[in-house]
Amino acid sequence: MNTTYPASAMAKFTQKTAYPRKELETRIVHIGFGAFHRGHQAVYNDLTNQLTGDYWGIFEINLFGGNALTDALAQQEHLFSVIEKSAQTTTSRLVRTLTGAIHTPKDGIQAAIEKLVEPQVKIISLTITEKGYCSDPRSRKLDLANPLIAHDLKNPRAPQSAIGLIVEGLRLRREQGLNPLSVLSCDNIPENGALTKTAILDFAAQLDGDLAQWIEQNITFPNTMVDRIVPAMTPEQFTAIEKEIGYADPCGVVCEAFRQWIIEDNFAAGRPEWDKAEAMFVADVLPYEEMKLRMLNGSHSFLAYNGGLAGYEFIYQCMEDAVFRKAAHHLMLQEQAKSLSPHLAVDVNQYAALLIERFSNPNIKHKTGQIAMDGSQKLPQRAIDPYLTLQQRGIKGRALATLIAGWLHYVIKEITHGRDVADPLNNEFKAVIKADAPRWQQALSLLNIQSIFGNLAADNSDFIHDVQDAFTSIETHGITSTVEKLIK
């Protein structure tokens, strides 16, 4: 068993920082040591340490899943690899910024709480996906009926959720008179800082109004926009790592060469100079965030559901199909871009061309099935909100309706075939979809789920008409024919 990163692999990296790791100080505690964090925030932080000589270490906490990842990380002295691939070039990078990691099911929740209360910690950061915030996707309020939240409110000293963990950490910091800090969401969610703040304050208010008031007055929650395609790891990806460095790093990731991070500059106790590593600090993240969530993520979801129905396993395969490629470009420019703020100072044509190029990269094996996960949490910001904005502006959202129709077919197909959907509302889907009902009735049962669609099924006949047209076309004429109609 390795106790250090293999020397043979260390010699093969094309990019490797050289700052003294012994001088790293844990000033960031990160919850959610997933692939995206490894390929994004950790890379920015590693590069910033090198460029500034101010050594911010990141300590990792995983709350769920197995402990294999954190065990492997410890065996490698908390080093890991990031392989960055464009269509033409490959870079192998060793990331050296981590100071430690724990897996709470193995190490105990108390160990995680103690890390949050260390005096030098200045930032608690998060990549826990939409469902980790335990919030209602429509109201954006904390869902007090969520099983994790219900448990944590009864057992606040032994939390299971990230929200409960952070509130307990903040309670102890207040009790011990420690300096305030910032809670930094790095998840791909609109106004992620505001969502995090609402969840934290809602939870704290249930326990102690004075604590909630202290948090509101002392803790900051910067909004961020994050962008980098980092697919879930597969045996093929580990083989790609081994090809580059001679070692199939179990903690490594393979991602695209492009990366972007836009951050609201609102930190209570300081922050790294991530802008030295090409992040951008701004006063208002929302216009950039909305552009990315709609043009990039919305198009990704369109390809995930409809490309998946067409039998494509990966996004780049969808882009090799001229029909899907043109439809994605149409969605970006003719619908999503027209739903954005008119004051956005970005060339959307240039941005769309960049997205098409990124989606087409055959070296990034991003599965349609991975992007399809947690659709109930993603549809409001990626499809429903832009459709409603276009409706207000007198523009038809036919491609957006087709995105939603593709999701309906995807969910119905999985449930009626006796399979679970990778979604927090899986049980609700099972409850409302009747296997013997006509297909459109099954679809309507999903469109009546208020936490996703609000009252649209009852109050917006144009929306239902457009979705029904697309849904029926997919059922009658097939997915490729339906998508092709969008570009004629």
Side-chain angles (χ1 to χ4, degrees), residues 224-248:
T224 68
M225 188 273 265
V226 297
D227 192 4
R228 181 170 236 185
I229 297 172
V230 188
M233 291 301 291
T234 63
E236 183 183 4
Q237 304 281 56
F238 287 115
T239 299
I241 295 175
E242 188 170 19
K243 179 182 175 184
E244 294 301 320
I245 62 172
Y247 171 56

PDB file of all heavy atoms in Angstrom, residues 224-248:
ATOM      1  N   THR A 224     -21.392  32.856  -6.300  1.00  0.00           N
ATOM      2  CA  THR A 224     -20.331  32.487  -7.242  1.00  0.00           C
ATOM      3  C   THR A 224     -20.943  31.910  -8.514  1.00  0.00           C
ATOM      4  O   THR A 224     -22.063  31.395  -8.506  1.00  0.00           O
ATOM      5  CB  THR A 224     -19.370  31.433  -6.656  1.00  0.00           C
ATOM      6  OG1 THR A 224     -20.065  30.187  -6.504  1.00  0.00           O
ATOM      7  CG2 THR A 224     -18.804  31.854  -5.325  1.00  0.00           C
ATOM      8  N   MET A 225     -20.196  31.998  -9.587  1.00  0.00           N
ATOM      9  CA  MET A 225     -20.522  31.280 -10.817  1.00  0.00           C
ATOM     10  C   MET A 225     -19.332  30.400 -11.150  1.00  0.00           C
ATOM     11  O   MET A 225     -18.199  30.885 -11.231  1.00  0.00           O
ATOM     12  CB  MET A 225     -20.807  32.245 -11.962  1.00  0.00           C
ATOM     13  CG  MET A 225     -21.338  31.549 -13.219  1.00  0.00           C
ATOM     14  SD  MET A 225     -20.050  30.944 -14.316  1.00  0.00           S
ATOM     15  CE  MET A 225     -19.931  32.313 -15.455  1.00  0.00           C
ATOM     16  N   VAL A 226     -19.573  29.107 -11.268  1.00  0.00           N
ATOM     17  CA  VAL A 226     -18.497  28.157 -11.522  1.00  0.00           C
ATOM     18  C   VAL A 226     -18.702  27.496 -12.881  1.00  0.00           C
ATOM     19  O   VAL A 226     -19.836  27.260 -13.291  1.00  0.00           O
ATOM     20  CB  VAL A 226     -18.427  27.075 -10.424  1.00  0.00           C
ATOM     21  CG1 VAL A 226     -18.106  27.703  -9.073  1.00  0.00           C
ATOM     22  CG2 VAL A 226     -19.728  26.283 -10.326  1.00  0.00           C
ATOM     23  N   ASP A 227     -17.612  27.208 -13.567  1.00  0.00           N
ATOM     24  CA  ASP A 227     -17.738  26.558 -14.871  1.00  0.00           C
ATOM     25  C   ASP A 227     -16.482  25.752 -15.187  1.00  0.00           C
ATOM     26  O   ASP A 227     -15.383  26.299 -15.256  1.00  0.00           O
ATOM     27  CB  ASP A 227     -17.982  27.603 -15.963  1.00  0.00           C
ATOM     28  CG  ASP A 227     -18.421  26.976 -17.287  1.00  0.00           C
ATOM     29  OD1 ASP A 227     -18.600  25.740 -17.328  1.00  0.00           O
ATOM     30  OD2 ASP A 227     -18.585  27.724 -18.265  1.00  0.00           O
ATOM     31  N   ARG A 228     -16.676  24.482 -15.318  1.00  0.00           N
ATOM     32  CA  ARG A 228     -15.692  23.572 -15.879  1.00  0.00           C
ATOM     33  C   ARG A 228     -16.385  22.224 -16.025  1.00  0.00           C
ATOM     34  O   ARG A 228     -17.076  21.801 -15.100  1.00  0.00           O
ATOM     35  CB  ARG A 228     -14.443  23.429 -14.997  1.00  0.00           C
ATOM     36  CG  ARG A 228     -13.395  22.494 -15.602  1.00  0.00           C
ATOM     37  CD  ARG A 228     -12.056  22.507 -14.871  1.00  0.00           C
ATOM     38  NE  ARG A 228     -10.985  22.826 -15.800  1.00  0.00           N
ATOM     39  CZ  ARG A 228      -9.700  22.823 -15.508  1.00  0.00           C
ATOM     40  NH1 ARG A 228      -9.293  22.544 -14.273  1.00  0.00           N
ATOM     41  NH2 ARG A 228      -8.787  23.113 -16.411  1.00  0.00           N
ATOM     42  N   ILE A 229     -16.238  21.581 -17.144  1.00  0.00           N
ATOM     43  CA  ILE A 229     -16.846  20.266 -17.326  1.00  0.00           C
ATOM     44  C   ILE A 229     -15.921  19.222 -16.727  1.00  0.00           C
ATOM     45  O   ILE A 229     -14.792  19.023 -17.192  1.00  0.00           O
ATOM     46  CB  ILE A 229     -17.120  19.979 -18.815  1.00  0.00           C
ATOM     47  CG1 ILE A 229     -18.137  20.993 -19.372  1.00  0.00           C
ATOM     48  CG2 ILE A 229     -17.645  18.559 -19.005  1.00  0.00           C
ATOM     49  CD1 ILE A 229     -18.331  20.917 -20.879  1.00  0.00           C
ATOM     50  N   VAL A 230     -16.400  18.599 -15.654  1.00  0.00           N
ATOM     51  CA  VAL A 230     -15.640  17.571 -14.940  1.00  0.00           C
ATOM     52  C   VAL A 230     -16.532  16.326 -14.836  1.00  0.00           C
ATOM     53  O   VAL A 230     -17.305  16.195 -13.894  1.00  0.00           O
ATOM     54  CB  VAL A 230     -15.207  18.038 -13.536  1.00  0.00           C
ATOM     55  CG1 VAL A 230     -14.258  17.007 -12.909  1.00  0.00           C
ATOM     56  CG2 VAL A 230     -14.541  19.406 -13.585  1.00  0.00           C
ATOM     57  N   PRO A 231     -16.446  15.422 -15.795  1.00  0.00           N
ATOM     58  CA  PRO A 231     -17.328  14.248 -15.755  1.00  0.00           C
ATOM     59  C   PRO A 231     -17.051  13.359 -14.554  1.00  0.00           C
ATOM     60  O   PRO A 231     -15.944  13.358 -13.983  1.00  0.00           O
ATOM     61  CB  PRO A 231     -16.986  13.512 -17.064  1.00  0.00           C
ATOM     62  CG  PRO A 231     -16.321  14.527 -17.929  1.00  0.00           C
ATOM     63  CD  PRO A 231     -15.606  15.454 -16.984  1.00  0.00           C
ATOM     64  N   ALA A 232     -18.068  12.595 -14.160  1.00  0.00           N
ATOM     65  CA  ALA A 232     -17.861  11.581 -13.119  1.00  0.00           C
ATOM     66  C   ALA A 232     -16.817  10.584 -13.599  1.00  0.00           C
ATOM     67  O   ALA A 232     -16.725  10.256 -14.782  1.00  0.00           O
ATOM     68  CB  ALA A 232     -19.180  10.873 -12.817  1.00  0.00           C
ATOM     69  N   MET A 233     -16.012  10.107 -12.679  1.00  0.00           N
ATOM     70  CA  MET A 233     -14.918   9.213 -13.043  1.00  0.00           C
ATOM     71  C   MET A 233     -15.428   7.809 -13.395  1.00  0.00           C
ATOM     72  O   MET A 233     -16.349   7.290 -12.765  1.00  0.00           O
ATOM     73  CB  MET A 233     -13.903   9.145 -11.910  1.00  0.00           C
ATOM     74  CG  MET A 233     -13.136  10.443 -11.707  1.00  0.00           C
ATOM     75  SD  MET A 233     -12.214  10.953 -13.178  1.00  0.00           S
ATOM     76  CE  MET A 233     -10.946   9.674 -13.241  1.00  0.00           C
ATOM     77  N   THR A 234     -14.792   7.233 -14.415  1.00  0.00           N
ATOM     78  CA  THR A 234     -15.115   5.885 -14.895  1.00  0.00           C
ATOM     79  C   THR A 234     -13.803   5.120 -15.051  1.00  0.00           C
ATOM     80  O   THR A 234     -12.714   5.714 -15.030  1.00  0.00           O
ATOM     81  CB  THR A 234     -15.803   5.946 -16.265  1.00  0.00           C
ATOM     82  OG1 THR A 234     -14.877   6.516 -17.224  1.00  0.00           O
ATOM     83  CG2 THR A 234     -17.069   6.811 -16.220  1.00  0.00           C
ATOM     84  N   PRO A 235     -13.859   3.796 -15.225  1.00  0.00           N
ATOM     85  CA  PRO A 235     -12.616   3.043 -15.476  1.00  0.00           C
ATOM     86  C   PRO A 235     -11.822   3.603 -16.656  1.00  0.00           C
ATOM     87  O   PRO A 235     -10.584   3.644 -16.614  1.00  0.00           O
ATOM     88  CB  PRO A 235     -13.134   1.633 -15.753  1.00  0.00           C
ATOM     89  CG  PRO A 235     -14.401   1.531 -14.954  1.00  0.00           C
ATOM     90  CD  PRO A 235     -15.025   2.887 -15.054  1.00  0.00           C
ATOM     91  N   GLU A 236     -12.522   4.071 -17.685  1.00  0.00           N
ATOM     92  CA  GLU A 236     -11.833   4.650 -18.842  1.00  0.00           C
ATOM     93  C   GLU A 236     -11.064   5.916 -18.453  1.00  0.00           C
ATOM     94  O   GLU A 236      -9.945   6.153 -18.934  1.00  0.00           O
ATOM     95  CB  GLU A 236     -12.858   4.974 -19.938  1.00  0.00           C
ATOM     96  CG  GLU A 236     -12.214   5.511 -21.215  1.00  0.00           C
ATOM     97  CD  GLU A 236     -13.243   5.887 -22.270  1.00  0.00           C
ATOM     98  OE1 GLU A 236     -14.459   5.803 -21.979  1.00  0.00           O
ATOM     99  OE2 GLU A 236     -12.826   6.284 -23.374  1.00  0.00           O
ATOM    100  N   GLN A 237     -11.650   6.720 -17.559  1.00  0.00           N
ATOM    101  CA  GLN A 237     -10.979   7.951 -17.121  1.00  0.00           C
ATOM    102  C   GLN A 237      -9.732   7.635 -16.293  1.00  0.00           C
ATOM    103  O   GLN A 237      -8.704   8.298 -16.411  1.00  0.00           O
ATOM    104  CB  GLN A 237     -11.942   8.813 -16.305  1.00  0.00           C
ATOM    105  CG  GLN A 237     -13.235   9.174 -17.012  1.00  0.00           C
ATOM    106  CD  GLN A 237     -13.052  10.309 -17.999  1.00  0.00           C
ATOM    107  OE1 GLN A 237     -12.229  10.239 -18.907  1.00  0.00           O
ATOM    108  NE2 GLN A 237     -13.818  11.360 -17.830  1.00  0.00           N
ATOM    109  N   PHE A 238      -9.828   6.614 -15.437  1.00  0.00           N
ATOM    110  CA  PHE A 238      -8.648   6.236 -14.656  1.00  0.00           C
ATOM    111  C   PHE A 238      -7.540   5.707 -15.558  1.00  0.00           C
ATOM    112  O   PHE A 238      -6.347   5.937 -15.312  1.00  0.00           O
ATOM    113  CB  PHE A 238      -9.023   5.199 -13.591  1.00  0.00           C
ATOM    114  CG  PHE A 238      -9.815   5.774 -12.454  1.00  0.00           C
ATOM    115  CD1 PHE A 238     -11.136   5.384 -12.230  1.00  0.00           C
ATOM    116  CD2 PHE A 238      -9.265   6.723 -11.610  1.00  0.00           C
ATOM    117  CE1 PHE A 238     -11.875   5.920 -11.188  1.00  0.00           C
ATOM    118  CE2 PHE A 238      -9.997   7.275 -10.563  1.00  0.00           C
ATOM    119  CZ  PHE A 238     -11.313   6.877 -10.356  1.00  0.00           C
ATOM    120  N   THR A 239      -7.932   5.033 -16.631  1.00  0.00           N
ATOM    121  CA  THR A 239      -6.946   4.571 -17.610  1.00  0.00           C
ATOM    122  C   THR A 239      -6.281   5.765 -18.289  1.00  0.00           C
ATOM    123  O   THR A 239      -5.070   5.746 -18.560  1.00  0.00           O
ATOM    124  CB  THR A 239      -7.619   3.670 -18.659  1.00  0.00           C
ATOM    125  OG1 THR A 239      -8.184   2.533 -17.999  1.00  0.00           O
ATOM    126  CG2 THR A 239      -6.631   3.208 -19.715  1.00  0.00           C
ATOM    127  N   ALA A 240      -7.068   6.827 -18.558  1.00  0.00           N
ATOM    128  CA  ALA A 240      -6.511   8.036 -19.174  1.00  0.00           C
ATOM    129  C   ALA A 240      -5.489   8.694 -18.249  1.00  0.00           C
ATOM    130  O   ALA A 240      -4.451   9.195 -18.711  1.00  0.00           O
ATOM    131  CB  ALA A 240      -7.638   9.016 -19.503  1.00  0.00           C
ATOM    132  N   ILE A 241      -5.752   8.694 -16.946  1.00  0.00           N
ATOM    133  CA  ILE A 241      -4.780   9.230 -15.983  1.00  0.00           C
ATOM    134  C   ILE A 241      -3.510   8.385 -16.012  1.00  0.00           C
ATOM    135  O   ILE A 241      -2.390   8.918 -16.066  1.00  0.00           O
ATOM    136  CB  ILE A 241      -5.375   9.260 -14.564  1.00  0.00           C
ATOM    137  CG1 ILE A 241      -6.547  10.231 -14.485  1.00  0.00           C
ATOM    138  CG2 ILE A 241      -4.303   9.658 -13.540  1.00  0.00           C
ATOM    139  CD1 ILE A 241      -7.272  10.245 -13.144  1.00  0.00           C
ATOM    140  N   GLU A 242      -3.681   7.085 -15.978  1.00  0.00           N
ATOM    141  CA  GLU A 242      -2.522   6.186 -15.969  1.00  0.00           C
ATOM    142  C   GLU A 242      -1.685   6.362 -17.230  1.00  0.00           C
ATOM    143  O   GLU A 242      -0.441   6.298 -17.181  1.00  0.00           O
ATOM    144  CB  GLU A 242      -2.987   4.740 -15.838  1.00  0.00           C
ATOM    145  CG  GLU A 242      -1.843   3.756 -15.637  1.00  0.00           C
ATOM    146  CD  GLU A 242      -2.330   2.365 -15.265  1.00  0.00           C
ATOM    147  OE1 GLU A 242      -3.517   2.064 -15.507  1.00  0.00           O
ATOM    148  OE2 GLU A 242      -1.524   1.585 -14.735  1.00  0.00           O
ATOM    149  N   LYS A 243      -2.337   6.614 -18.347  1.00  0.00           N
ATOM    150  CA  LYS A 243      -1.608   6.837 -19.599  1.00  0.00           C
ATOM    151  C   LYS A 243      -0.705   8.063 -19.504  1.00  0.00           C
ATOM    152  O   LYS A 243       0.412   8.073 -20.051  1.00  0.00           O
ATOM    153  CB  LYS A 243      -2.607   7.005 -20.750  1.00  0.00           C
ATOM    154  CG  LYS A 243      -1.955   7.266 -22.097  1.00  0.00           C
ATOM    155  CD  LYS A 243      -3.014   7.470 -23.180  1.00  0.00           C
ATOM    156  CE  LYS A 243      -2.362   7.846 -24.499  1.00  0.00           C
ATOM    157  NZ  LYS A 243      -3.376   8.142 -25.552  1.00  0.00           N
ATOM    158  N   GLU A 244      -1.163   9.092 -18.791  1.00  0.00           N
ATOM    159  CA  GLU A 244      -0.401  10.336 -18.710  1.00  0.00           C
ATOM    160  C   GLU A 244       0.715  10.284 -17.676  1.00  0.00           C
ATOM    161  O   GLU A 244       1.810  10.801 -17.920  1.00  0.00           O
ATOM    162  CB  GLU A 244      -1.344  11.511 -18.370  1.00  0.00           C
ATOM    163  CG  GLU A 244      -2.356  11.830 -19.450  1.00  0.00           C
ATOM    164  CD  GLU A 244      -1.727  12.181 -20.784  1.00  0.00           C
ATOM    165  OE1 GLU A 244      -0.692  12.889 -20.780  1.00  0.00           O
ATOM    166  OE2 GLU A 244      -2.234  11.721 -21.818  1.00  0.00           O
ATOM    167  N   ILE A 245       0.480   9.666 -16.516  1.00  0.00           N
ATOM    168  CA  ILE A 245       1.475   9.747 -15.441  1.00  0.00           C
ATOM    169  C   ILE A 245       1.961   8.377 -14.964  1.00  0.00           C
ATOM    170  O   ILE A 245       2.765   8.296 -14.031  1.00  0.00           O
ATOM    171  CB  ILE A 245       0.918  10.545 -14.231  1.00  0.00           C
ATOM    172  CG1 ILE A 245      -0.308   9.854 -13.624  1.00  0.00           C
ATOM    173  CG2 ILE A 245       0.598  11.975 -14.646  1.00  0.00           C
ATOM    174  CD1 ILE A 245      -0.778  10.474 -12.317  1.00  0.00           C
ATOM    175  N   GLY A 246       1.452   7.309 -15.577  1.00  0.00           N
ATOM    176  CA  GLY A 246       1.898   5.966 -15.199  1.00  0.00           C
ATOM    177  C   GLY A 246       1.307   5.464 -13.901  1.00  0.00           C
ATOM    178  O   GLY A 246       1.802   4.507 -13.315  1.00  0.00           O
ATOM    179  N   TYR A 247       0.208   6.113 -13.429  1.00  0.00           N
ATOM    180  CA  TYR A 247      -0.405   5.735 -12.160  1.00  0.00           C
ATOM    181  C   TYR A 247      -1.891   6.079 -12.228  1.00  0.00           C
ATOM    182  O   TYR A 247      -2.250   7.226 -12.497  1.00  0.00           O
ATOM    183  CB  TYR A 247       0.272   6.499 -11.018  1.00  0.00           C
ATOM    184  CG  TYR A 247      -0.393   6.381  -9.661  1.00  0.00           C
ATOM    185  CD1 TYR A 247      -0.633   5.137  -9.069  1.00  0.00           C
ATOM    186  CD2 TYR A 247      -0.768   7.525  -8.965  1.00  0.00           C
ATOM    187  CE1 TYR A 247      -1.236   5.048  -7.822  1.00  0.00           C
ATOM    188  CE2 TYR A 247      -1.359   7.450  -7.713  1.00  0.00           C
ATOM    189  CZ  TYR A 247      -1.600   6.206  -7.153  1.00  0.00           C
ATOM    190  OH  TYR A 247      -2.200   6.120  -5.914  1.00  0.00           O
ATOM    191  N   ALA A 248      -2.748   5.103 -11.994  1.00  0.00           N
ATOM    192  CA  ALA A 248      -4.200   5.324 -12.058  1.00  0.00           C
ATOM    193  C   ALA A 248      -4.681   5.915 -10.736  1.00  0.00           C
ATOM    194  O   ALA A 248      -5.321   5.243  -9.928  1.00  0.00           O
ATOM    195  CB  ALA A 248      -4.917   4.016 -12.375  1.00  0.00           C
TER     196      ALA A 248
END
